[in-house]
């Protein structure tokens, strides 16, 4: 059964009206969606990722109204989580947000390149921020057993292919979580083609919601 518009929004569990750090260089509003297909032991938002039911669902119309009220101060909207690409009907959410007139940034762990490919068809999806967890062989440990080295390589390489064609729409990040050393970070950086650079993030073990 196709997802209805309302079903698509039911995993919206958090809203930050203004952020200066979630989309570098942009003042953004951040929409947090619950659920994730990975189980990273160092997850920065584990409760939202694993137990979204612990957060009340937010009302779509109320959030759209609040975005409209702040529209003149905002440069864009960030969709994050949890993991945005596992949302049922993410394309409907993206379509709804087109009406705000603001560009979107999607944060993703990169394991659903098919969803990213579909999202890129929307011109207002201006930025895809992909988290590469570490070297391929470390994915089972870093993802809590959810992703094999082969899966990780295949998914991220698909995204890198897309990024070669539209580098301005991608950013790749790696968080220096406990267990990742400098050599691991260099290995991850070596996966990126010329013209793309890896953004290194320091690990902050905090729950944002
Ligand atoms: S992919 Fe992100 S949200 Fe999902 S478990 Fe890992 S760190 Fe948490």
């Amino acid at each position: 059964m196709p997802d209805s518009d309302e079903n698509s929004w039911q995993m919206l569990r958090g809203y930050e009206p203004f952020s200066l750090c979630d989309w570098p260089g942009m003042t953004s509003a951040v929409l947090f969606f619950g659920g994730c297909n990975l189980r990273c032991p160092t997850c920065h938002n584990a409760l939202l990722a694993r137990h979204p039911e612990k957060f009340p669902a937010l009302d779509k119309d109320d959030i759209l109204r609040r975005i409209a009220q702040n529209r003149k101060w905002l440069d864009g909207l960030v969709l994050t989580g949890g993991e945005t690409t596992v949302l049922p009907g993410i394309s409907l959410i993206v379509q709804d947000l087109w009406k705000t007139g603001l560009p979107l940034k999607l944060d993703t762990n990169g394991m659903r390149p098919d969803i990213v490919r579909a999202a890129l068809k929307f011109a207002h999806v201006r930025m895809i921020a992909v988290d590469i967890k570490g070297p391929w062989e470390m994915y089972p440990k870093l993802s809590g057993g959810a992703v094999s080295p082969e899966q990780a390589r295949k998914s991220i390489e698909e995204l890198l292919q897309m990024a070669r064609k539209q580098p301005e729409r991608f950013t790749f990040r790696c968080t220096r979580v406990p267990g990742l050393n400098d050599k691991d970070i260099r290995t991850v950086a070596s996966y990126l083609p010329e013209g793309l650079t890896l953004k290194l993030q320091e690990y902050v073990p905090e729950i944002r919601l």
Side-chain angles (χ1 to χ4, degrees):
M1 189 170 67
D3 294 303
S4 74
D5 189 49
E6 298 311 316
N7 284 342
S8 308
W9 281 88
Q10 67 185 355
M11 295 310 286
L12 177 62
R13 301 300 159 107
Y15 175 67
E16 196 171 307
F18 293 106
S19 167
L20 294 175
C21 60
D22 285 86
W23 192 343
M26 307 270 277
T27 302
S28 59
V30 187
L31 287 76
F32 294 87
F33 293 88
C36 187
N37 49 349
L38 271 56
R39 290 289 178 269
C40 310
T42 53
C43 182
H44 58 288
N45 225 342
L47 200 58
L48 180 67
R50 293 172 207 176
H51 297 289
E53 73 283 358
K54 293 196 184 289
F55 300 89
L58 301 187
D59 180 67
K60 173 190 107 176
D61 293 331
D62 180 48
I63 295 302
L64 290 178
R65 191 165 43 245
R66 291 171 68 184
I67 291 170
Q69 279 168 356
N70 295 338
R71 171 73 179 79
K72 62 182 165 192
W73 294 290
L74 291 171
D75 301 316
L77 303 173
V78 174
L79 276 60
T80 192
E83 172 57 32
T84 54
T85 62
V86 298
L87 292 170
I90 176 69
S91 63
L92 291 173
I93 294 171
V94 167
Q95 283 176 52
D96 277 340
L97 292 173
W98 176 78
K99 295 169 199 153
T100 66
L102 289 164
L104 307 186
K105 168 176 172 272
L106 254 62
D107 290 345
T108 178
N109 58 36
M111 292 302 109
R112 291 296 305 270
D114 54 326
I115 301 293
V116 171
R117 192 183 299 281
L120 286 171
K121 292 188 178 144
F122 296 95
H124 66 299
V125 176
R126 191 177 295 169
M127 181 60 69
I128 306 285
V130 182
D131 285 318
I132 305 181
K133 301 291 174 193
W136 309 137
E137 66 274 13
M138 292 181 73
Y139 259 79
K141 185 174 166 201
L142 295 170
S143 69
V147 179
S148 70
E150 297 73 27
Q151 282 173 301
R153 177 196 285 267
K154 185 170 178 300
S155 296
I156 299 291
E157 284 187 348
E158 245 184 86
L159 291 168
L160 289 169
Q161 285 288 353
M162 294 176 216
R164 278 190 183 94
K165 292 179 189 148
Q166 302 185 76
E168 72 286 356
R169 293 178 86 183
F170 280 86
T171 181
F172 290 87
R173 314 179 294 194
C174 182
T175 304
R176 193 195 290 270
V177 297
L180 274 193
N181 60 31
D182 288 347
K183 182 167 172 282
D184 297 326
I185 303 285
R186 283 197 298 275
T187 300
V188 174
S190 75
Y191 297 155
L192 271 61
E194 205 175 325
L196 290 172
T197 48
L198 187 70
K199 184 169 177 292
L200 188 58
Q201 302 187 130
E202 290 308 316
Y203 175 58
V204 182
E206 68 173 20
I207 303 288
R208 288 195 63 187
L209 282 180

